[in-house]
Amino acid sequence: MKTTSAPAVAGLEMYALAERLYPICRSITGDGVRETLAVIGERISLEVHEVASGTRVLDWTVPREWNIRDAYIKEPAGRRVVDFHEHNLHVLGYSVPVRARMPLAELREHLYTLPEHPDWIPYRTSYWQERWGFCLTHRRLENLEDGEYEVCIDSSLEDGHLTYGEHVVAGESDAEVLIHAHVCHPSLANDNLSGLVVATELARRIAGRPRRRYSYRFLFLPGMIGPLTWLARNEERLSRVRHGLVLALLGDSGTFTYKRSRSGDAEVDRAAAHVLAHSGSDYELRDFDPYGYDERQYGSPGFDLPVGRLTRTPHGEFPEYHSSADDLRLIRPESLTASLERLTEIIDVLEGNATYANTSPKGEPQLGRRGLYESLGGGTARNERQHALLWVLNLSDARHSLLDIAQRAGLSFGAVRAAADALIEHELLREV
Ligand code: ZN
């Protein structure tokens, strides 16, 4: 009988969820976001918030809600040459409604293509400036003949709401770990269905842990205006946030890239660096910059939250980025699985990190008498275990955390945590 391993099953489930979400036309507001949250809500319980257009959030205002039913360009002979129902990227996101006839020369001012990738449709939006437009393959644009075209964008831009979803996995304390994934992109797979499905599965995994020191808050928010809205509405409780991660671009086969929080040495930064260093694969660490995804809102100086970012290939650094080529073929179940595994390991470090004092600090306590020093056997596992015991005893001086010890000793966090557990059992450590 052929069995599929649990991680492989998780990868297939995450991929299947991405397949379901892919066709939905999402934006920073509107029914596409609601539909997406409803699908995610079948896997984890989501609290869905609706914030009215016009609400002031920090220096911004929640925009009017955008919805779209149909959009097309008809050539002079009457055939649709660009059709929203063929691909939702065909419409410039947040296009105001339009019904008009115009010559090709005039229409061209509203058309966006990628000449360097003539078969891909670009992804373009205009949230903060009223415009209308279409995105199409450069090849199709080149084949349009002069003449009068009919254009229709059957959209609405009206007072409504900004919608976002929140899911909490409660732990033993109120101290929280924030996990953020942006929910505003239409049919693009890596950016960011990959982040949404990995975050969803991570929430399920964390809920299954036997114990949790921290509470976990998962945020499914539209980019930029989403975290601005959430931060504005939750300002008085931000002191609970101990660690945070922005998740995006986790489905391609590129190497992991961790971007540090604003401070650069937050515990989550050190946990992520440690996990990636012990992953056995290539990875890259980058310093914070006030650019990129929503880490820059959490890391704005007035909040300065310890929120880092985990991606594989960063935004703008793979050719398919923000185009129709970021489709379901770009993401792979095994990549999603490996992303979930690394995140689980980062959570293991955050959950397991603590600082202890050696209760027998004068000289080395006799480990053999306590059954902690195996005289028989050998090999690297035994060596690692014994090294870990000695390192933990030596550096547990009430100043070094287990993560400090793992880094100093060049050991995996898991080995150091296991050694600490064995020493605690024999009352050789007490928590500080
Ligand atoms: Zn994007």
Side-chain angles (χ1 to χ4, degrees):
M1 195 177 81
K2 192 172 170 240
T3 54
T4 311
S5 69
V9 170
L12 294 172
E13 284 178 354
M14 287 187 281
Y15 191 87
L17 184 58
E19 282 181 308
R20 269 187 77 190
L21 296 171
Y22 181 77
I24 302 172
C25 184
R26 281 164 291 269
S27 187
I28 55 171
T29 62
D31 290 332
V33 175
R34 293 188 187 97
E35 205 183 321
T36 299
L37 295 178
V39 173
I40 293 172
E42 294 172 19
R43 302 279 295 165
I44 55 173
S45 61
L46 275 189
E47 189 178 345
V48 176
H49 301 265
E50 300 275 356
V51 183
S53 304
T55 305
R56 294 282 297 172
V57 288
L58 307 174
D59 197 42
W60 295 70
T61 304
V62 172
R64 288 180 292 168
E65 180 178 327
W66 186 70
N67 283 291
I68 180 155
R69 290 157 291 275
D70 193 12
Y72 58 83
I73 300 173
K74 273 187 188 168
E75 64 178 3
R79 190 173 61 100
R80 286 188 179 203
V81 288
V82 174
D83 187 350
F84 169 73
H85 291 295
E86 251 176 45
H87 206 302
N88 60 37
L89 291 182
H90 275 315
V91 174
L92 174 76
Y94 253 66
S95 279
V96 294
V98 61
R99 276 179 197 279
R101 303 182 74 86
M102 62 188 66
L104 181 59
E106 194 182 322
L107 176 59
R108 272 178 182 277
E109 291 167 27
H110 298 274
L111 302 182
Y112 303 87
T113 68
L114 288 171
E116 64 278 25
H117 294 291
D119 293 312
W120 298 355
I121 307 163
Y123 166 53
R124 296 275 186 279
T125 61
S126 184
Y127 302 132
W128 308 102
Q129 199 181 350
E130 284 197 12
R131 272 191 209 150
W132 64 267
F134 290 89
C135 303
L136 63 160
T137 67
H138 197 69
R139 207 173 298 284
R140 192 162 296 180
L141 174 66
E142 285 184 313
N143 288 333
L144 296 182
E145 287 169 10
D146 278 336
E148 192 162 79
Y149 285 79
E150 181 190 335
V151 298
C152 165
I153 296 180
D154 181 11
S155 65
S156 57
L157 186 57
E158 295 164 346
D159 281 343
H161 294 85
L162 176 149
T163 312
Y164 67 87
E166 211 167 358
H167 170 77
V168 175
V169 185
E172 288 161 13
S173 76
D174 283 345
E176 282 184 4
V177 181
L178 269 194
I179 307 285
H180 164 108
H182 63 272
V183 72
C184 52
H185 285 32
S187 292
L188 298 168
N190 202 29
D191 182 16
N192 187 31
L193 296 180
S194 67
L196 297 179
V197 303
V198 171
T200 301
E201 202 55 36
L202 183 64
R204 289 167 59 87
R205 229 184 225 200
I206 288 171
R209 291 178 76 96
R211 56 173 296 227
R212 291 173 295 277
R213 249 167 96 186
Y214 294 111
S215 295
Y216 291 79
R217 186 172 300 273
F218 288 80
L219 299 175
F220 299 92
L221 305 173
M224 198 171 75
I225 191 68
L228 291 167
T229 302
W230 187 85
L231 286 161
R233 301 178 96 209
N234 291 278
E235 199 166 347
E236 75 291 345
R237 31 160 313 158
L238 295 179
S239 59
R240 292 185 190 181
V241 178
R242 298 300 152 79
H243 318 286
L245 285 166
V246 167
L247 303 187
L249 310 175
L250 290 169
D252 63 293
S253 53
T255 55
F256 284 101
T257 307
Y258 178 77
K259 178 177 165 180
R260 296 184 182 96
S261 70
R262 184 170 180 266
S263 80
D265 63 351
E267 195 175 338
V268 66
D269 299 328
R270 298 176 56 230
H274 179 82
V275 163
L276 293 176
H278 285 263
S279 67
S281 301
D282 289 344
Y283 65 98
E284 195 187 333
L285 301 176
R286 293 188 183 184
D287 281 329
F288 179 83
D289 60 15
Y291 186 67
Y293 287 123
D294 291 311
E295 61 277 6
R296 70 186 202 251
Q297 308 309 336
Y298 299 110
S300 55
F303 298 122
D304 198 16
L305 296 174
V307 176
R309 184 188 80 193
L310 187 70
T311 64
R312 285 167 169 275
T313 313
H315 58 94
E317 298 179 24
F318 55 99
E320 300 89 347
Y321 174 71
H322 278 191
S323 84
S324 56
D326 180 0
D327 63 15
L328 291 163
R329 289 169 298 184
L330 189 65
I331 64 171
R332 296 167 21 179
E334 54 271 32
S335 300
L336 297 168
T337 299
S339 300
L340 179 66
E341 295 300 327
R342 294 298 87 73
L343 285 162
T344 304
E345 290 157 10
I346 293 170
I347 300 297
D348 286 343
V349 174
L350 296 176
E351 283 283 331
N353 195 23
T355 303
Y356 297 94
N358 179 342
T359 59
S360 178
K362 293 182 176 169
E364 194 177 296
Q366 204 182 343
L367 297 179
R369 173 156 61 82
R370 296 173 172 90
L372 286 169
Y373 211 92
E374 299 122 85
S375 53
L376 291 172
T380 48
R382 176 170 160 269
N383 274 338
E384 191 187 51
R385 184 177 138 82
Q386 292 184 354
H387 275 133
L389 288 168
L390 296 176
W391 272 110
V392 172
L393 282 169
N394 188 279
L395 288 180
S396 286
D397 53 4
R399 290 199 305 271
H400 295 89
S401 71
L402 295 183
L403 181 54
D404 294 332
I405 297 170
Q407 280 183 300
R408 172 88 179 269
L411 292 165
S412 75
F413 183 82
V416 169
R417 180 68 254 184
D421 288 338
L423 294 168
I424 289 166
E425 214 175 293
H426 292 275
E427 296 175 352
L428 287 167
L429 292 182
R430 66 176 168 77
E431 192 162 357
V432 178

